[in-house]
Amino acid sequence: DAGVTQSPTHLIKTRGQQVTLRCSPKSGHDTVSWYQQALGQGPQFIFQYYEEEERQRGNFPDRFSGHQFPNYSSELNVNALLLGDSALYLCASSMGQSQPQHFGDGTRLSIL
Amino acid sequence: RKEVEQDPGPFNVPEGATVAFNCTYSNSASQSFFWYRQDCRKEPKLLMSVYSSGNEDGRFTAQLNRASQYISLLIRDSKLSDSATYLCVVNGGADKLIFGTGTRLQVFP
């Protein structure tokens, strides 16, 4: 039973570029959340998708957008990349509200 | 004030010691609480949920005090493999998890 899978593992981009990160949830999970973790900090909630809709959003600008597909997988898109977007991007999936979320290995994004 | 506050540590303890971490949260309406463990450059992994009555899983005991908005994690008989960052996590509503910055634990021989 595959857990949460994310791709790519690492990515290097330059300022101003755009990036797309991908996530497949754990089997049986229908909700996908995205988090940004800067070095030395806890993960910060970006947004959550359920039934292909953005259900909740954290304090992130509109440059951060996402999508959920009918098979529950999800994408995170970031436009106009800034140096400060360098971080570990984590995807987590869950089944239902208030259930523990399970994290993927993350995508490490570096902006030059 | 941060929504979830933890002492960042590090806590340096010898093998076999008992160590306790505390965490406070600001939203009194929070309903779900968790401790996650994160190893260096790895993803967070669920250690345990925290229930109102307190709960234990082997050497780990979690407690919740809703009146004081305070969560704790006790680790007994520390092992070298317990060295990690422990993240206090509060459900901020509709599955939005709010993480503390984490408390770093280093267990030495």
Side-chain angles (χ1 to χ4, degrees), chain B residues 46-49 54-62 73-74 76:
Chain B
L46 178 67
L47 181 65
M48 57 198 302
S49 301
N55 48 302
E56 190 173 305
D57 182 1
R59 298 181 293 108
F60 298 83
T61 300
L73 176 69
L74 184 79
R76 288 183 300 279

Side-chain angles (χ1 to χ4, degrees), chain A residues 31 35 37 41-43 45 48 55-56 90 94 96-101 103-105 108, chain B residues 2 32 34 36 38 41-44 46 49 87 91-97 99-101:
Chain A
T31 302
Y35 296 82
Q37 187 174 23
Q41 301 295 316
F45 176 77
Q48 182 182 83
R55 183 158 73 174
Q56 253 207 103
L90 294 159
S94 61
Q97 285 196 357
S98 300
Q99 296 303 308
Q101 295 184 10
F103 285 81
D105 292 344
R108 195 162 296 279
Chain B
K2 287 184 180 176
S32 305
F34 309 96
Y36 277 74
Q38 187 170 28
R41 300 181 77 80
K42 296 282 194 180
E43 79 279 16
L46 178 67
S49 301
L87 296 159
N91 190 316
D95 264 358
K96 172 185 170 183
L97 294 184
F99 285 78
T101 53

Side-chain angles (χ1 to χ4, degrees), chain A residues 18 35 83:
Chain A
Q18 177 265 341
Y35 296 82
L83 292 178

Side-chain angles (χ1 to χ4, degrees), chain B residues 21-32:
Chain B
F21 305 136
N22 302 320
C23 164
T24 58
Y25 61 94
S26 61
N27 185 354
S28 59
S30 299
Q31 293 295 317
S32 305

Side-chain angles (χ1 to χ4, degrees), chain B:
Chain B
R1 184 187 169 188
K2 287 184 180 176
E3 291 181 273
V4 178
E5 294 209 57
Q6 291 182 256
D7 180 344
F11 284 58
N12 296 305
V13 303
E15 271 187 293
T18 295
V19 61
F21 305 136
N22 302 320
C23 164
T24 58
Y25 61 94
S26 61
N27 185 354
S28 59
S30 299
Q31 293 295 317
S32 305
F33 309 89
F34 309 96
W35 283 100
Y36 277 74
R37 170 196 167 126
Q38 187 170 28
D39 292 288
C40 190
R41 300 181 77 80
K42 296 282 194 180
E43 79 279 16
K45 289 186 177 167
L46 178 67
L47 181 65
M48 57 198 302
S49 301
V50 185
Y51 302 117
S52 297
S53 53
N55 48 302
E56 190 173 305
D57 182 1
R59 298 181 293 108
F60 298 83
T61 300
Q63 297 269 341
L64 168 64
N65 183 323
R66 285 189 187 272
S68 303
Q69 294 177 211
Y70 165 98
I71 305 161
S72 66
L73 176 69
L74 184 79
I75 304 176
R76 288 183 300 279
D77 188 23
S78 298
K79 312 287 184 198
L80 294 176
S81 58
D82 293 334
S83 298
T85 296
Y86 291 82
L87 296 159
C88 174
V89 185
V90 173
N91 190 316
D95 264 358
K96 172 185 170 183
L97 294 184
I98 301 169
F99 285 78
T101 53
T103 298
R104 200 165 138 239
L105 172 65
Q106 185 66 50
V107 182
F108 57 88

Side-chain angles (χ1 to χ4, degrees), chain A residues 35 52 70 88:
Chain A
Y35 296 82
E52 302 178 52
L88 178 67

